[in-house]
Amino acid sequence: MVGEPLPRHRCTLRRNRIHAFLLAAIALPLAPGRLEAQPTAPTPQQVEWLKTHGHAGDGLHAELVIPAPVALSVDISTRAQARAFFNAVYTPSQNVPSGWTGTLSGTPGTSATGSAGTTSAAYQAAVQLRVNWFRAMAGVPGTIAFDPVTYGAPDQDAAVMMSANKALSHYPPTNWLLYTAAGATAAANSNISLGTEGPAAIDGFIGDAGSNNTAIGHRRWLLYPQTKTMGTGNVDAVNGFYPADATWVLDGNYGTTRPAVRDNFVAWPPPGYVPYQVVYARWSFAYPGAVFTSATTVTMTSGGNSVPVALEALDNPAYGENTIVWDYNGLDGNTDFAGAAKPSSDTVYNVQVNDVVINGIAQNFSYDVTVFDPAVAGTGDSPPTVMGPSQVSTGRQMDYVVAGLPPFAGGYEYRAITSLTPATAVFGAEGGLQGVIPDISDAAGTSTEAYNPVDTSVSFSGSASYHLAQPDATTQTLTLPGYFFFAGGSASLNFETLLGLATSHQTARAQVSTDDGATWTDVFSQSGIDTPNTPTQTSFQSESVSLGAYADLPFQVRFAYTFDGSGPLYEQTTSGVGWNIDAITLVNVDNATPGVPAPYVAGNILGYTAASAGAAGLQARAVLAGTYPDSWGPVTPVTAVAPTGPAPAILAPPQGQTMNSGSTVVLTGVASPGSTYQWVYDGSSANDSSGSTDILAGATGPQLVITKVTSASNGTYTLIATNANGSTVSTPATLSVIAATNPGTVGSISARAFVGTKDSILIGGFFIAGTTSRSVLIQAIGPGLIPPPYNVASPLAKPALSVHQSQNGQDVVLYTNTGWGSNQVLLTSASRLSALPVLQPGSADSELLLTLPPGGYTAEVSSADGVSTGVALCAIYQLP
């Protein structure tokens, strides 16, 4: 019928919302995603010139101070670490706005005016992070620095030239539109791309699809081990011009000494666990100076079955290190641009590369690549949980244990979740957006593509509904305001949906995010139909989606209308075309306000202070390399109340204790009276079953808390003190266990005996071996033996301690002490070493903290008055 909407075929974009399908759009001349062949390796003369001048430019590189990036490394032999590395490092470098300040106008390839501009520091950091992520995964130094002046600025010129001319060239002629000499130099030293930019272009370089990229030159340069410095230039899609990228890869280190790499060879995908999103059709194996002319027996198997392999023609040594390339599993690297299909389960591929001649000797290589879905947690692979009291006092710090931190994360971040009130709003577009946040195609300089996401001509109830359409091929979204949370029970997302004119390539989706919008998961989806001018639905349908999978996790909700990148789509925005949503409600769900994450904390003890009374929650996430946070864990509900009674106090128990498995070690702590105490092992809510806890009775001041632990488990033992109103404070003590057959190093010796007068004093001998001085803590304990567990009835009332050494046949008194006093250094040292008992300020016991050179010594304990007698303990501890 004349005038009715018809679906249009689209395979290009005019917005900077670029999806993977663009890489396949090569039917048009120089269409988005096409990757030019890379520059050949520099000649020896060029290498020497680059070493001298730093780059093929003006020689400024040697004078520029470039900040060092965070060094990235990862052990991808473990699934949990590979998964965390993808989620915490790769994913955050997605969707960072470029902040491009340049301009382009005219007709691409015919006439153009404009300026190169710059991109934001955050965007350049995202590109740098993506480069270093790939390098760390491949086992080469993930320490590439970006030089924004010497390399970045010329790369901006190169990128704008490629976009203006709608063409790619490493050697652009001087008559090119917007030609600059700096841009031409950058083109000769860079990977270049038209149709993608930024992190997405880096992915394209690693994938290296296309008939002109069979040698995977882009990949070789990005993963070249010797490279230390790169640069990036990027241009957005604007006014019909394609986005473009130039990434400087030749920094003058070509041919220099090769640094150590994890596997000796450099493969992509590398040995270990690799996310399916970055496993491309073309696989590669590189080894410097290797001869692959005989290596015609590259084979792959999976689950005992042969996997098809198709070798590409050799092209060595044109780019970086000598490399052999093959397509796997029936894929065609000329046309398959995207990553591997999502596996239903982890899939292991064994790779055999045989007859690789290295230094004249043929060698065989075998390794396994496990392709996995990083959205799926493995066994025991879950975010950390905050463990501790459910009630806290406002204004007082309460200590919690962050349990389940992976060993490769040195610490955590946490945030408090507040404002937990029932979510009762009904979103129906009545009177406007109602706080709903649209992300839709705007005018972009023309009025033909703008549309109103509030549709007053169609509704389920009331006078309006929300409307999403696709004036172009980009994803359109409506995000509900704020965050939501529920602690358990039945919760759901309810809404009315009407999908009008839409093709099978256009999909309506309800989505949930638990990582602050970085990634979204479908909880509902419906695609259109391919019958022209026939709506998918003619009336609203009710949907109720269970949210049970998101219990205990703050989450966001959005509605997205997407195009899969192939086939036809309806580009009109009039009512009846696209998707209408109405009467959106969340059932049995609270509104929630996540706080700003607290700064990174090493270890696993979380100190939380509630600012105000009310219901709240605590949530933690592991942090890699002290910089890159992983997924948030579940929320631990906490109720804050006004404080009553004194807050408990606690001193740190000993640290770094070592024991033989099966033996007993004693940990001590000092806490305030009126409190109860518990030792917690490695975040467990129960005491370690092999330990016992004693609290000294009858104390009016700080109390001595003792636990005797017999365990064969390394871990952290945490002393938790709780007062009457539930306020808590805690502090950890680390305990390391060594095999019982390993005698280790003696850390302490002690003896208890009756101390008389004259020749009947207590003498303890010790020897410091080796060539290094050692710090020792020496105690003479008398009154400290009265309390449990010693219960000595007749201790030496006032012991005197002296340290002696024989020098030239003479007994020399080196140090003495009578009544140690209240020195905090001594108290802390005693506490760290499990020196028992922990001395009280002003006690008559004696103590010395000394650093002694190698040699023999004696520690002598006698009565300070020379006449009193009694039982005393002489203990000598070696400090770590």
Side-chain angles (χ1 to χ4, degrees):
M1 182 179 295
V2 177
E4 288 188 346
L6 290 173
R8 300 178 185 175
H9 288 265
R10 289 292 295 272
C11 59
T12 59
L13 293 185
R14 286 170 283 170
R15 291 287 177 273
N16 189 27
R17 298 172 184 168
I18 296 177
H19 304 277
F21 74 88
L22 277 178
L23 292 175
I26 59 172
L28 296 176
L30 297 171
R34 177 173 174 179
L35 304 175
E36 276 283 312
Q38 286 305 285
T40 57
T43 64
Q45 293 80 8
Q46 288 174 317
V47 168
E48 292 305 314
W49 192 93
L50 287 167
K51 288 179 181 179
T52 303
H53 293 77
H55 66 102
D58 54 15
L60 295 176
H61 179 70
E63 302 171 8
L64 183 68
V65 178
I66 303 170
V70 175
L72 291 184
S73 62
V74 62
D75 178 8
I76 60 173
S77 67
T78 64
R79 187 185 192 280
Q81 191 168 164
R83 177 175 182 256
F85 195 61
F86 181 85
N87 292 333
V89 182
Y90 179 97
T91 300
S93 60
Q94 302 274 69
N95 303 320
V96 177
S98 71
W100 182 50
T101 62
T103 60
L104 271 174
S105 60
T107 303
T110 302
S111 64
T113 59
S115 60
T118 61
T119 56
S120 70
Y123 190 71
Q124 294 179 44
V127 181
Q128 178 188 26
L129 186 61
R130 184 62 58 86
V131 169
N132 281 323
W133 184 87
F134 275 111
R135 289 175 65 89
M137 286 288 294
V140 303
T143 54
I144 293 296
F146 267 28
D147 181 340
V149 176
T150 313
Y151 297 157
D155 267 339
Q156 270 308 127
D157 283 358
V160 79
M161 287 165 57
M162 306 301 159
S163 183
N165 291 275
K166 198 178 178 181
L168 290 173
S169 174
H170 289 295
Y171 308 102
T174 56
N175 63 351
W176 256 30
L177 301 171
L178 303 185
Y179 175 89
T180 66
T185 298
N189 289 273
S190 300
N191 286 351
I192 51 179
S193 172
L194 187 64
T196 57
E197 59 174 312
I202 302 302
D203 288 3
F205 293 144
I206 294 292
D208 247 354
S211 58
N212 56 339
N213 293 310
T214 56
I216 54 103
H218 303 84
R219 181 187 299 176
R220 293 202 219 179
W221 288 128
L222 284 180
L223 302 183
Y224 187 64
Q226 285 92 317
T227 304
K228 297 179 180 179
T229 309
M230 295 184 184
T232 185
N234 295 278
V235 171
D236 288 353
V238 61
N239 298 329
F241 289 86
Y242 289 141
D245 176 280
T247 299
W248 197 295
V249 292
L250 296 178
D251 68 345
N253 286 299
Y254 180 80
T256 57
T257 302
R258 188 182 196 243
V261 301
R262 183 183 59 222
D263 304 309
N264 290 328
F265 57 85
V266 178
W268 194 267
Y273 286 89
V274 185
Y276 76 90
Q277 294 92 332
V278 292
V279 175
Y280 302 99
R282 284 185 172 138
W283 291 39
S284 61
F285 176 97
Y287 202 106
V291 178
F292 292 104
T293 53
S294 299
T296 57
T297 56
V298 175
T299 59
M300 293 178 62
T301 58
S302 181
N305 298 316
S306 178
V307 175
V309 169
L311 291 176
E312 299 283 7
L314 292 174
D315 193 353
N316 292 311
Y319 321 101
E321 296 189 329
N322 288 1
T323 301
I324 189 170
V325 184
W326 66 94
D327 293 354
Y328 89 113
N329 211 25
L331 296 176
D332 183 356
N334 293 336
T335 57
D336 290 314
F337 283 74
K342 181 190 295 186
S344 58
S345 61
D346 294 1
T347 304
V348 180
Y349 294 93
N350 175 258
V351 179
Q352 299 272 350
V353 184
N354 295 332
D355 301 318
V356 180
V357 178
I358 300 172
N359 296 324
I361 301 174
Q363 299 185 32
N364 298 332
F365 295 86
S366 176
Y367 57 93
D368 289 340
V369 176
T370 302
V371 180
F372 76 106
D373 182 0
V376 177
T379 303
D381 178 18
S382 59
T385 301
V386 178
M387 301 186 66
S390 59
Q391 179 173 301
V392 299
S393 297
T394 57
R396 291 180 177 174
Q397 178 173 311
M398 307 303 163
D399 283 3
Y400 291 75
V401 174
V402 181
L405 280 174
F408 49 83
Y412 67 91
E413 290 179 348
Y414 86 93
R415 65 182 179 184
I417 311 297
T418 59
S419 304
L420 297 175
T421 57
T424 59
V426 177
F427 297 98
E430 304 303 323
L433 286 167
Q434 291 183 244
V436 171
I437 303 166
D439 184 5
I440 62 176
S441 297
D442 54 21
T446 66
S447 61
T448 57
E449 291 187 355
Y451 70 99
N452 190 345
V454 174
D455 188 348
T456 57
S457 65
V458 177
S459 67
F460 171 78
S461 61
S463 60
S465 65
Y466 297 103
H467 182 215
L468 290 175
Q470 286 184 307
D472 55 37
T474 60
T475 295
Q476 315 282 295
T477 66
L478 293 167
T479 304
L480 299 189
Y483 287 72
F484 304 97
F485 175 79
F486 64 100
S490 176
S492 63
L493 169 65
N494 297 347
F495 57 95
E496 300 292 327
T497 173
L498 173 59
L499 186 57
L501 292 176
T503 73
S504 61
H505 304 279
Q506 295 176 283
T507 303
R509 306 175 188 272
Q511 298 178 319
V512 170
S513 173
T514 60
D515 55 9
D516 306 314
T519 59
W520 295 88
T521 301
D522 286 353
V523 293
F524 163 86
S525 65
Q526 181 182 14
S527 298
I529 60 177
D530 288 329
T531 304
N533 298 317
T534 302
T536 306
Q537 295 171 310
T538 57
S539 63
F540 279 96
Q541 302 293 320
S542 298
E543 293 291 342
S544 181
V545 179
S546 172
L547 297 173
Y550 303 98
D552 300 322
L553 295 170
F555 61 90
Q556 296 170 278
V557 174
R558 80 175 186 181
F559 296 86
Y561 191 45
T562 66
F563 174 57
D564 66 10
S566 62
L569 75 162
Y570 287 93
E571 294 182 306
Q572 296 81 3
T573 61
T574 55
S575 182
V577 180
W579 187 25
N580 285 79
I581 316 107
D582 202 358
I584 304 167
T585 60
L586 290 108
V587 180
N588 296 328
V589 171
D590 288 339
N591 292 302
T593 303
V596 176
Y600 168 79
V601 177
N604 71 336
I605 301 301
L606 188 161
Y608 170 62
T609 303
S612 59
L618 295 175
Q619 188 181 30
R621 60 185 178 185
V623 178
L624 279 63
T627 304
Y628 306 105
D630 200 2
S631 303
W632 286 109
V635 172
T636 296
V638 175
T639 300
V641 298
T644 58
I650 192 168
L651 294 175
Q655 301 291 318
Q657 293 304 291
T658 301
M659 62 181 288
N660 286 324
S661 57
S663 64
T664 299
V665 70
V666 180
L667 303 176
T668 64
V670 177
S672 65
S675 300
T676 58
Y677 308 94
Q678 180 186 35
W679 284 94
V680 173
Y681 172 67
D682 259 6
S684 172
S685 59
N687 283 332
D688 177 63
S689 59
S690 61
S692 62
T693 302
D694 300 306
I695 302 174
L696 297 189
T700 57
Q703 296 182 359
L704 178 64
V705 182
I706 305 169
T707 188
K708 299 177 181 179
V709 180
T710 302
S711 174
S713 300
N714 292 320
T716 298
Y717 291 76
T718 301
L719 177 62
I720 300 177
T722 306
N723 68 6
N725 75 330
S727 299
T728 66
V729 65
S730 63
T731 187
T734 58
L735 173 64
S736 297
V737 178
I738 59 177
T741 56
N742 181 0
T745 300
V746 175
S748 65
I749 55 175
S750 64
R752 195 180 80 174
F754 180 82
V755 178
T757 60
K758 297 182 180 180
D759 293 338
S760 298
I761 64 174
L762 175 59
I763 301 176
F766 63 98
F767 188 87
I768 297 176
T771 59
T772 304
S773 296
R774 301 286 184 178
S775 294
V776 294
L777 180 73
I778 306 173
Q779 292 182 328
I781 308 298
L785 298 177
I786 296 175
Y790 298 101
N791 301 309
V792 174
S794 302
L796 187 63
K798 192 173 185 179
L801 174 64
S802 58
V803 176
H804 302 239
Q805 186 179 45
S806 176
Q807 298 179 1
N808 299 319
Q810 301 293 319
D811 179 66
V812 178
V813 179
L814 302 178
Y815 303 96
T816 62
N817 174 253
T818 302
W820 76 283
S822 58
N823 185 283
Q824 183 62 45
V825 173
L826 292 175
L827 181 62
T828 300
S829 298
S831 177
R832 289 181 59 208
L833 293 165
S834 294
L836 288 178
V838 175
L839 303 179
Q840 302 301 310
S843 76
D845 298 313
S846 299
E847 189 171 37
L848 289 168
L849 179 62
L850 308 171
T851 300
L852 301 173
Y857 302 89
T858 58
E860 301 185 3
V861 180
S862 60
S863 173
D865 60 13
V867 295
S868 299
T869 61
V871 176
L873 174 73
C874 178
I876 305 166
Y877 302 86
Q878 177 178 296
L879 274 69

